[in-house]
Amino acid sequence: MIHDCHGMTFKVGSGKHEDRIDALNLFRRRSQGEATWSLLKGHLYGFHSPNAAQAAEYHIIEHARKRGFGTKDHSEFIAGIDMKDLAALFVEAVKVGIAKDAEFAGVRNDDAIEA
């Protein structure tokens, strides 16, 4: 996430978040007071497979866009969403990812979501 004069903007992604944050901040001018991207605590989940992580990522992006929180700047940016809605989307996405992990492990989806 980043918070600046435009409000809060969130970057949704799966994979190595440290690398993504470093890339987003590469040309930020910290010494001149520019805001930098940082990890939103509590909104990180480790899946067993890349497919699960990607399914969760796509779920957040798709549903945020449907609700009008997407941006024209980048397909993975979300803006204008409140923390309650973002948290609810995150919980939904984790369930989607868990189900995807279970699918690859041969476990019934209902059991995996409740686990």
Side-chain angles (χ1 to χ4, degrees), residues 40 42-43 81-94:
L40 179 61
H43 288 81
I81 191 170
D82 66 34
M83 296 304 287
K84 182 179 176 182
D85 288 338
L86 181 64
L89 271 177
F90 182 77
V91 169
E92 290 172 18
V94 168

Side-chain angles (χ1 to χ4, degrees), residues 10-105:
F10 302 93
K11 163 74 169 69
V12 180
S14 57
K16 298 178 180 178
H17 65 275
E18 296 95 350
D19 295 342
R20 287 178 179 263
I21 291 171
D22 288 346
L24 286 166
N25 285 327
L26 187 59
F27 297 105
R28 303 298 297 174
R29 297 174 299 177
R30 293 178 184 102
S31 65
Q32 294 181 16
E34 285 188 353
T36 57
W37 291 87
S38 61
L39 180 65
L40 179 61
K41 302 294 182 197
H43 288 81
L44 181 67
Y45 188 90
F47 295 102
H48 295 288
S49 71
N51 292 355
Q54 189 175 49
E57 174 186 348
Y58 290 170
H59 179 86
I60 292 174
I61 293 167
E62 176 186 349
H63 290 272
R65 286 194 164 289
K66 283 182 182 177
R67 298 174 189 174
F69 300 120
T71 71
K72 295 178 183 177
D73 300 314
H74 193 291
S75 63
E76 296 177 350
F77 286 179
I78 296 174
I81 191 170
D82 66 34
M83 296 304 287
K84 182 179 176 182
D85 288 338
L86 181 64
L89 271 177
F90 182 77
V91 169
E92 290 172 18
V94 168
K95 289 180 180 180
V96 167
I98 289 171
K100 185 60 79 173
D101 268 342
E103 183 181 313
F104 282 100

